[in-house]
Amino acid sequence: MVALSESLHHELQRAGSKLRASVLCPGRIRTPVQMGGYQRARQPRSAEQLDDQGRRMLPTEVGDLVVDAIREERFYILTHPAATKERVRSRADDLLLDRLPTYSPSIRSD
């Protein structure tokens, strides 16, 4: 999805369009499906699964981030920027150093 959104961004720019593209990269979000049953009793395994206040974000908070990003014409919308940026940095380092991909645990808690 990121590559598709990047392509769309460039196409819109090349066409001189006033439209913009953004990509939402969500981390752990508190939703009824995610918080139900078995998941409710489990705690996240690592800090990267939580926001800066040490909790899962509410959908309304994510919505506010998206609206702000669109207004500011930001491309990347990161709900958990510290964890996301560290994972991206690690992947880029692997590529630039011509090494095998470094294992990065998923943001999912299962």
Side-chain angles (χ1 to χ4, degrees):
M1 290 309 304
V2 172
L4 180 64
S5 298
E6 288 173 348
S7 294
L8 177 60
H9 165 77
H10 292 302
E11 290 295 324
L12 290 169
Q13 227 178 12
R14 212 176 353 257
S17 176
K18 292 183 179 183
L19 296 175
R20 299 291 183 254
S22 295
V23 62
L24 173 63
C25 302
R28 300 294 288 180
I29 310 301
R30 183 179 295 269
T31 65
V33 171
Q34 188 271 325
M35 296 304 295
Y38 178 65
Q39 290 290 353
R40 185 179 5 196
R42 295 187 58 183
Q43 295 297 316
R45 286 190 285 186
S46 69
E48 77 177 27
Q49 297 172 338
L50 304 172
D51 69 4
D52 292 337
Q53 288 79 43
R55 60 184 173 73
R56 292 182 182 104
M57 294 183 75
L58 296 172
T60 54
E61 294 173 304
V62 176
D64 290 342
L65 283 175
V66 170
V67 170
D68 290 344
I70 290 170
R71 286 185 177 140
E72 296 169 10
E73 296 185 5
R74 282 188 281 130
F75 180 76
Y76 294 104
I77 307 169
L78 309 175
T79 61
H80 299 73
T84 302
K85 288 178 181 181
E86 184 55 39
R87 291 169 61 169
V88 169
R89 182 175 291 110
S90 176
R91 288 183 74 177
D93 288 346
D94 291 341
L95 175 67
L96 293 172
L97 297 171
D98 196 24
R99 66 182 180 208
L100 295 173
T102 302
Y103 174 74
S104 178
S106 171
I107 289 179
R108 295 175 39 201
S109 65
D110 53 21

